[in-house]
Every structure is written in C-alpha cells, then in structure tokens.
C-alpha cells in the first residue's frame, strides 16, 4: 500500500491506473507486484482518512488542487459500473466566483427549465416556445416594410 499516492498516475512502473485518477496525500493506493510484467498492478484506492476525504459531514467542501491554474472542485456521480457519469464543478479560480445555487423543492413538470431569481435560488418555469408577432420573433419591435418598383433595368 502506498499511503501518499501523489504521482502514482504518472509512474511508468504502475499499470492499470483508472482513467482520470489523480493521486493525493490523502488517498492510499493498493498495488500488487507482477513478476511476469515486472511492474506494479493497480488494485484499488481508498481514503487515508475517510473523515477528511469523503463528504460525510455538514457543509462538506470538495477542494480543488490548491493552484490557480489546476483542477477545480468537482463532484462526479458515476453510473453503477463507474464507466461514465455526470459532474458538477466550480468555475476556475480566475473567475473569482463565489455563490450558492439553491435547488427547487421538486423535479418540475415536463417542458420546464431551471431559472434563477438572480440571487441563486432556482425554480422551474415553463420553457415556452418562440412566437410570431407581426413578422417579428419575440423582438417587441414593429414590422418595417419597404416597397420598391422595378422599371426594367433597376430598382428605384
């Protein structure tokens, strides 16, 4: 077992590291040596300190890598086989963004979209569809027409 797994993902003597894995001081990696390949083979990883790594407490924070150009905080929800998933991640450090989004209390209805009140409170609203109003598409303006006559050689 490697208690500090920093750099394991880029070590040429380790095979089978899962795609996207990034070693860390708070992740322990279990490896097994293969005499046939003369390399260490990936077995599994787990938190060195579960209280510090997993989201188990009130107001848990998923941290980025601590650099201004590195990996941002991200929560990934994988499928049952851990082959793919969806993620929610923070904006980059350069955005200087600090805000909270509060999800609605239900899942909404068909054809609704999430909207915000501008203060981070999300709610469901009818998505709607474009309408035609006097030839304009939701512009609120007026229709302008111009009539030209053709004299056989040019428009005047």
């Amino acid at each position: 077992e490697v208690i500090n797994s920093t750099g394991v993902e880029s070590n040429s003597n380790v095979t089978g590291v899962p795609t996207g894995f990034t070693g860390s001081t708070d992740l322990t990696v279990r490896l097994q040596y293969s005499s046939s390949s003369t390399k260490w083979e990936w077995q599994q990883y787990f938190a060195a300190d579960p209280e510090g790594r997993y989201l188990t407490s009130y107001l848990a924070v998923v941290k980025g890598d601590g650099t201004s150009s590195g990996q941002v905080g991200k929560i990934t929800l994988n499928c049952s086989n851990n082959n793919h998933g969806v993620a929610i991640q923070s904006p980059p450090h350069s955005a200087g963004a600090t805000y909270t989004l509060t999800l609605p209390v239900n899942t909404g209805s068909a054809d609704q979209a999430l909207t915000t009140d501008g203060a981070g409170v999300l709610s469901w609203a009818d998505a709607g569809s474009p309408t035609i109003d006097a030839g304009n598409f939701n512009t609120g303006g007026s229709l302008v027409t111009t009539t030209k006559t053709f004299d056989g050689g040019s428009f005047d």
Side-chain angles (χ1 to χ4, degrees):
E1 290 183 359
V2 179
I3 295 172
N4 177 352
S5 61
T6 303
V8 166
E9 69 277 7
S10 58
N11 189 311
S12 61
N13 292 316
V14 178
T15 63
V17 177
T19 303
F21 175 81
T22 302
S24 170
T25 57
D26 56 348
L27 285 178
T28 297
V29 173
R30 184 169 289 145
L31 305 173
Q32 182 174 346
Y33 187 74
S34 168
S35 56
S36 62
S37 67
T38 65
K39 296 194 182 263
W40 291 95
E41 295 178 347
W42 177 272
Q43 299 298 307
Q44 72 181 90
Y45 76 97
F46 50 90
D49 175 13
E51 296 303 315
R53 184 67 184 185
Y54 295 121
L55 301 176
T56 59
S57 62
Y58 176 72
L59 295 178
V61 175
V62 177
K63 298 177 182 177
D65 72 359
T67 66
S68 61
S69 61
Q71 186 67 36
V72 299
K74 178 168 70 172
I75 299 171
T76 302
L77 306 171
N78 281 349
C79 72
S80 59
N81 289 337
N82 290 310
N83 294 344
H84 52 273
V86 295
I88 299 172
Q89 77 179 36
S90 72
H93 173 75
S94 60
T98 301
Y99 57 87
T100 299
L101 296 175
T102 303
L103 294 172
V105 297
N106 58 36
T107 59
S109 300
D111 300 321
Q112 287 190 317
L114 278 176
T115 61
T116 180
D117 66 354
V121 177
L122 304 178
S123 59
W124 297 106
D126 291 332
S129 59
T131 57
I132 298 174
D133 177 19
N136 296 303
F137 293 92
N138 290 332
T139 63
S142 59
L143 179 63
V144 176
T145 59
T146 304
T147 303
K148 298 281 186 177
T149 57
F150 185 65
D151 66 5
S154 63
F155 284 104
D156 55 9

